[in-house]
């Protein structure tokens, strides 16, 4: 992810050389059902594999002698879902990354990216349902549709790097947000605001400080659930003078509350809700009375920052979109 | 929506004539906040206006003498959100449709289409939060992200036609679905299935039998909530021999349970989950043990049907996508 | 496509009945390469099958005795691409529709929808290329990416209905467009415009008057190419007082120029390009001098109409999106 | 773009600190028409601004004293389109980046990202057109719809970094591609292929070695046009034993042919076209005869690599999606 070029010093006489490269099968959609008697559980993932290593030949001459086919990496995803089950996205990625690096000599590094889609049970609402009597339906689900959970697991044979995250989580405060006291230059026309809507679609990625098989692994499911809760709490509770301030509070709350996390980065579009000018129609539109807003698409403010535990190294890339 | 052509008999000598036509501003994104003391409420809509009437001249000669600008229809949406509030998508559409037809002589018919995005409150999880003490946050929301609710209100000055609906509601039964006993022709290779996943992304539209201001209007919010519940219950409780059977049960349950609804149509893609063949790797993958599936994108089965109250007229168009 | 309900009169005692229904495999992505010596040709289609007929049982009881599986319809698409080749989207759809209706007694009607993606050759630019010498590359293509061509073929065992069309064709006139003389009501704030940009993304569907195997079939490829050309010419050459006028000219030009086409419908979003107000920065922004515009996303005007050959029946549905 | 954290050493006692951060208005859609007599020209851009600098306060306390509003950056984009015109995306970005860094003391770095959409003229096909006689239409355009051109300009007050690129350029070789001789492990089932389709959707980013105002600036338009041509030529002319080999050839051809470019990175999804098995229907489907393929969506192989001029530093980030 960092732009470390892999030079090819022995490749003399050529005016070009190969830099960072990786390959694998992307977006393997795997669903695993677990049956616990009549009660079923779902794990629904989208898994992307990226492998790096001794890959000069395949680029220079087309020799595939070091290339495990992307099709094989796909097969491995499905076989491992059966072999190990899917305890969590992170744990599943760890199984896969370890396998590729440990079993293939030319592969020095594996990066597994995962999206997870959450499902919730359809609750049986009628106690006296004619169809199933007193029995509960335990195999019926509706997709939650809120955020997509993300994970990225990287392994080089020695050190683990685990990112967790989420995207597409849209949140709004309908008050307790202001924006004023900013720089005014000759191109500034914006009016200051003392009671505005603050809405954003959260993309966040956080880095766990677990890096070694020697250390105790975090509880990935609980860590995710708690991190998400702290973010939402901080968003709701911060009286905001800028989206940057809210962002920092969200990140600091996670770092302060979760000792397993050392770094977090957010990309927060400012989903503008503009007060509509109803004066031409002889109407007022005051926020205090409950106002009408135009929800704009583009352009949008985009606020991005990393928050770190003091002394921690910054390892999350600046551009989050792909994760 | 039905293909009724509007002929132009006085338009002699021309080899072409104008048929059905409509115009208006599409996708007006309106958000209305209502403040009830410290407790805020959101309505978040996407409103599209389509007007029809005496519009020959604007097509033949470009005369706009009968044309209320689409920009004006946009302004009206925002002004009405303030004037009437947004009690429900359906009620809001009724205000708009009535206005355009009653206030503009050349406009004979108005069709309002609405998408609604649901929000839920961010619950304050820590009773002893340092930021807000015992007070609860009542102005912070997270977008639900599950189905999008839809409505279409059409008015011709006399008669109302109100469709409600939803889209993007993804559901799954991980068992209690079979598929066998079908026709086999020379191009049939499919194996019969006795325990398969049944998953679909529900698009549904239902028609209320309320058509006149003289009659009592349904409670749109409760009607929606109950219709959705009946659909989900029927999906969960039906032991399915075909997606068509499940679809019919979903529709019949709504018609039988909600006297205000006479017709419903579904478009149900069969979101295929294929059992992965793990035999080449020496592994079994039996549904009874909890299996691994490949969730496919395209192609997909597409099952569409209308269910009617006995004797009711079919008025919902066959193609639902635009609603 | 029209909302003709299929009643079930023998289904007495039930409070609900089945209306229009159809099923099949949607979005079969089929690519056919034809080799003419070293010169290759591509046809790249997305084919959706929808079948109707005696389908009451599968809905009421789940009996699949009349159901040709959607998987079989998929297989048929691929087998027919080999058996018949793909001369044109329309001709390919005719082969498929005829097959399903003629070979399966319970199937009374087949509707085939097709999207076609165009490819053009990568021209060999260097005559003295070191790699291939004087030989030309004749098997390398770049996807055009402009409009998607569409077709819909419907057959009931006797009568053919063939729609052709396109979508996603974005066009712009940077002058020769005005908008004034419209209705002003209390919600009107729009200023009249005497020199504006007119831009739209064309969705169009046209109906051929060929309906019987007895009659001579149109040349589908030439008909498409010429219809597209007439549309673009009319768009470019019309001095426009309203998008409705431009739309009508586009349709009339096609009907007047192509005797095989009796009806055409357009859905034209008005892709607004707003003159930016640069006065606060002491700058003018006049159209006559070459202006700067903000290209808006939502909302947008949406203009839709059908143009018919005088006396022709209107058969194209009002909502085009699915075609 | 590289993950350089901006520490805050004076920020003692706090357990968290701010890392890399940036803000600005994203996706400003600006269209500039230039009139050359009756002949009009279009530049159609999507411009995103990201600024960095002394931004600790706005994150820690919400003070906006150093914050030029994102709304102002939007205004600047539109004002500069008028003031300077849009000669090229790169040149326009250079104007903007220089302005923000030079005019605002707290801003130390500006990154401008641009997407450009190409338009071509609608050719007047009828010499004897009744509408416009002998005059040519010179203000009518159709959007090309092929690749989107991209640019990223970064400036820190001293040094320039200019990336150019493209995305969504879909290409195919219908022969001259093989894949065999790869590693086989216990999860490998793929059959070797000696004549397959090779198709991909090119995302590419290349870095110009121009970094200083002292040096002569490249001709950005010609550089783009030629780089694109070399890429396509190399794609078409390479007899491919792996997509990696093709990728390398595409990159090396650009580096070898364009002295202003030192580094290029590609992200190439392998858009799989699978030979359909028609044997169950008694049909052959041999590539040599012109075969039928299933064009798959997911999963897909994903091949990514950087090619560098020998000795050049690798500065393009590994993840290209956002550029």
């Amino acid at each position: 992810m960092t732009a470390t070029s892999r030079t090819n010093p022995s490749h003399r006489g050529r005016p070009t050389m190969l830099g960072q490269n990786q390959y694998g099968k992307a977006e393997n959609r795997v669903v695993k059902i677990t049956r616990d008697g009549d009660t079923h559980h779902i794990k629904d993932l989208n898994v992307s594999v990226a492998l790096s290593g001794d890959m000069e030949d395949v680029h220079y001459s087309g020799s595939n002698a070091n290339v495990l086919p992307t099709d094989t990496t796909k097969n491995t995803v499905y076989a491992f879902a059966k072999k190990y089950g899917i305890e969590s996205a992170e744990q599943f990625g760890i199984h896969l990354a370890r396998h590729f690096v440990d079993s293939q000599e030319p592969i020095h590094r594996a990066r597994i990216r995962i999206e997870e889609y959450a499902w919730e049970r359809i609750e049986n609402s009628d106690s006296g349902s004619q169809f199933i009597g007193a029995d509960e339906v335990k195999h019926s689900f509706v997709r939650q549709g809120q955020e997509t959970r993300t994970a990225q697991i990287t392994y080089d044979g020695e050190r683990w790097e685990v990112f967790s995250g989420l995207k597409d989580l849209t949140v709004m405060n309908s008050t307790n947000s202001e924006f004023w006291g900013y720089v005014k230059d000759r191109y500034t026309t914006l009016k200051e605001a003392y009671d505005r809507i603050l809405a954003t679609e959260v993309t966040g990625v956080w880095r766990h400080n677990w890096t070694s098989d020697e250390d105790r692994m975090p509880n990935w499911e609980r860590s995710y659930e708690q991190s998400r809760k702290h973010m939402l709490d901080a968003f709701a509770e911060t009286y905001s003078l800028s989206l940057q301030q809210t962002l920092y509070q969200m990140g600091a709350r996670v770092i302060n509350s979760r000792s397993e996390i050392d770094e977090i980065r957010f990309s927060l579009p400012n989903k503008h809700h503009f007060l509509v000018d109803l004066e031409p129609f002889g109407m007022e539109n005051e926020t205090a009375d409950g106002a009408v807003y135009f929800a704009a698409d583009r352009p949008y403010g985009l606020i991005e920052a990393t928050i770190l535990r003091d002394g921690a190294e910054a390892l999350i890339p600046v551009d989050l979109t792909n994760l």
Side-chain angles (χ1 to χ4, degrees), chain A:
Chain A
M1 194 159 299
T2 48
T4 56
S5 80
R6 301 175 39 76
T7 60
N8 181 39
S10 70
H11 202 61
R12 290 202 189 86
R14 298 202 187 204
T16 57
M17 64 183 187
L18 181 66
Q20 199 279 354
N21 61 86
Q22 58 194 13
Y23 83 99
K25 196 69 100 190
E27 301 208 36
N28 299 284
R29 293 281 290 105
V30 58
V31 171
K32 174 73 175 72
I33 304 294
T34 307
R35 297 188 174 199
D36 180 9
D38 285 346
T39 303
H40 293 200
H41 304 272
I42 305 181
K43 278 287 184 179
D44 184 357
L45 306 184
N46 191 22
V47 179
S48 296
V49 174
L51 308 177
S52 306
D54 290 337
M55 296 293 153
E56 282 75 11
D57 284 353
V58 65
H59 290 88
Y60 294 143
S61 72
S63 160
N64 293 300
N66 281 357
V67 176
L68 188 72
T70 66
D71 188 77
T72 301
T73 68
K74 176 198 72 178
N75 289 346
T76 310
V77 168
Y78 289 103
F80 274 35
K82 184 67 189 175
K83 185 172 178 182
Y84 296 109
I86 301 176
E87 193 184 315
S88 66
E90 287 83 356
Q91 178 62 72
F92 187 60
I94 287 168
H95 283 303
L96 286 166
R98 189 191 306 275
H99 166 78
F100 292 120
V101 173
D102 287 358
S103 69
Q104 291 295 324
E105 197 278 332
I107 295 176
H108 302 162
R109 180 179 170 276
R111 189 200 71 198
I112 311 295
R113 285 180 168 172
I114 301 179
E115 293 185 340
E116 178 171 354
Y117 315 110
W119 296 79
E120 61 188 34
R121 285 177 198 285
I122 298 176
E123 296 299 336
N124 183 239
S125 42
D126 305 316
S127 55
S129 163
Q130 55 177 337
F131 273 75
I132 55 165
D135 293 333
E136 223 180 318
V137 173
K138 294 168 174 167
H139 57 264
S140 294
F141 303 88
V142 57
R143 192 162 148 173
Q144 281 186 354
Q146 211 158 66
E147 84 267 16
T148 295
R149 182 172 163 182
T150 60
Q152 174 178 297
I153 298 90
T154 311
Y155 183 57
D156 62 4
E158 294 192 357
R159 196 180 173 282
W160 291 97
E161 183 186 76
V162 180
F163 296 165
S164 299
L166 56 78
K167 61 181 181 179
D168 299 335
L169 184 67
T170 306
V171 291
M172 178 195 289
N173 286 327
S174 53
T175 188
N176 286 12
S177 166
E178 310 186 6
F179 187 57
W180 49 265
Y182 41 76
V183 175
K184 278 105 186 165
D185 76 359
R186 61 176 299 201
Y187 298 112
T188 302
T189 55
L190 186 73
K191 297 233 170 65
E192 302 196 324
Y194 299 92
D195 188 358
R196 64 170 188 173
I197 282 183
L198 188 71
T200 187
E201 188 180 305
V202 182
T203 299
V205 172
W206 47 97
R207 180 171 57 80
H208 300 271
N209 46 34
W210 178 83
T211 59
S212 160
D213 286 317
E214 317 270 298
D215 299 330
R216 191 174 158 194
M217 208 178 274
N219 177 331
W220 306 111
E221 299 293 80
R222 178 161 173 77
S223 180
Y224 177 81
E225 177 201 316
Q226 288 295 306
S227 299
R228 181 187 187 279
K229 182 188 105 49
H230 288 302
M231 265 176 260
L232 285 182
D233 285 354
F235 176 81
E237 295 168 8
T238 301
Y239 190 104
S240 176
L241 301 174
S242 71
L243 183 47
Q244 282 92 331
Q245 185 191 20
T246 296
L247 181 156
Y248 190 82
Q249 288 300 322
M250 292 166 68
R253 185 83 67 102
V254 172
I255 303 279
N256 289 336
S257 308
R258 304 300 307 172
S259 61
E260 76 275 21
I261 298 172
D262 270 7
E263 181 186 8
I264 185 165
R265 184 167 178 86
F266 290 109
S267 177
L268 299 187
N270 194 340
K271 294 177 75 74
H272 303 303
H273 286 71
F274 295 115
L275 263 182
V276 180
D277 178 11
L278 300 178
E279 212 181 281
F281 321 127
M283 301 168 76
E284 292 190 339
N285 193 25
E286 299 295 323
T287 52
D289 303 330
V292 173
Y293 299 85
F294 164 57
D297 294 315
R298 295 192 295 185
Y300 48 90
L302 184 57
I303 313 298
E304 298 172 288
T306 297
I307 298 98
L308 297 148
R309 188 176 302 284
D310 212 5
E313 196 183 354
L315 297 174
I316 302 176
V318 168
D319 289 324
L320 296 186
T321 300
N322 265 351
L323 186 63

